[in-house]
Amino acid sequence: MAARSHGRSMIVGLILAGGLSSRMGEDKALLAIDGVTMLRRTASILRNLGAGLVAVSGSRPGGVPDRWPHAGPVGGMASAAEVLPDGELLVVPVDMPKLGPAVLLPLLAERTLSATRWAGHPLPMRITLDAGTRDALATLMTATGRDRSVSALQARVGATTLPLDGLDPLLLANCNTPDEWREANA
């Protein structure tokens, strides 16, 4: 599928869905809201925001297999970066049931540095996928003893942090346990 251009460069959606879901006890990507799986719901949200290409990290049908298994979100991003085109990457975890335009549009609008995130929340984020970002990801994945967190990547590439002023923090909730899932969907 060809990616559409939105503003200055194409938007590529990356859904992080490669985790083990061990605390949830079942695959978080397959949890459903109103009969729609989180994976399908998240992909639809990204497409509706202008993503011409939506990729899924993780070893699942149609997904980008993790080159670095059990390396967390940065491992999934690094694996996907090897096959995705340059552009504005919207990176979202699959376990955010309240995710929507109110969370993602401000990330796309703020373009002062290579990445944009919400205060206190490393994900979701917008990151410019280019040679510099790929190099930062490769460095994080190949260096021993390094912090491989999303925050470490954001520090390496330079990230703008948006204040939560006016944004309901519940929209940024991710669900890792059955109790968090019930609470977020009450």
Side-chain angles (χ1 to χ4, degrees):
M1 168 192 296
R4 292 178 283 171
S5 177
H6 181 79
R8 289 176 253 174
S9 59
M10 88 175 79
I11 298 171
V12 176
L14 176 60
I15 303 170
L16 300 174
L20 299 175
S21 300
S22 55
R23 289 181 284 165
M24 184 63 75
E26 60 184 296
D27 188 346
K28 293 186 283 187
L30 301 179
L31 294 173
I33 296 175
D34 296 328
V36 180
T37 67
M38 287 299 297
L39 185 58
R40 180 167 282 163
R41 180 183 180 281
T42 304
S44 178
I45 290 165
L46 291 168
R47 284 187 192 97
N48 288 338
L49 288 176
L53 174 65
V54 175
V56 178
S57 76
S59 298
R60 60 181 65 249
V64 178
D66 286 334
R67 182 172 168 201
W68 296 274
H70 312 294
V74 172
M77 286 187 278
S79 299
E82 292 183 348
V83 299
L84 293 176
D86 283 0
E88 293 307 312
L89 193 62
L90 266 177
V91 182
V92 299
V94 74
D95 60 1
M96 296 184 76
K98 303 292 185 190
L99 185 71
V103 170
L104 297 175
L105 285 174
L107 297 176
L108 285 172
E110 181 61 49
R111 300 272 319 251
T112 57
L113 291 173
S114 295
T116 308
R117 58 175 267 183
W118 289 101
H121 300 271
L123 292 171
M125 77 168 164
R126 178 209 52 85
I127 188 167
T128 302
L129 185 57
D130 58 15
T133 300
R134 286 183 179 86
D135 182 58
L137 285 162
T139 298
L140 287 172
M141 297 315 300
T142 58
T144 57
R146 290 242 187 221
D147 176 7
R148 289 185 177 164
S149 69
V150 175
S151 295
L153 171 64
Q154 292 165 343
R156 187 170 280 278
V157 301
T160 300
T161 300
L162 300 179
L164 292 177
D165 301 342
L167 182 72
D168 183 348
L170 292 176
L171 298 177
L172 293 163
N174 64 327
C175 300
N176 291 303
T177 67
D179 287 341
E180 289 172 349
W181 178 258
R182 279 189 294 278
E183 185 178 318
N185 292 293

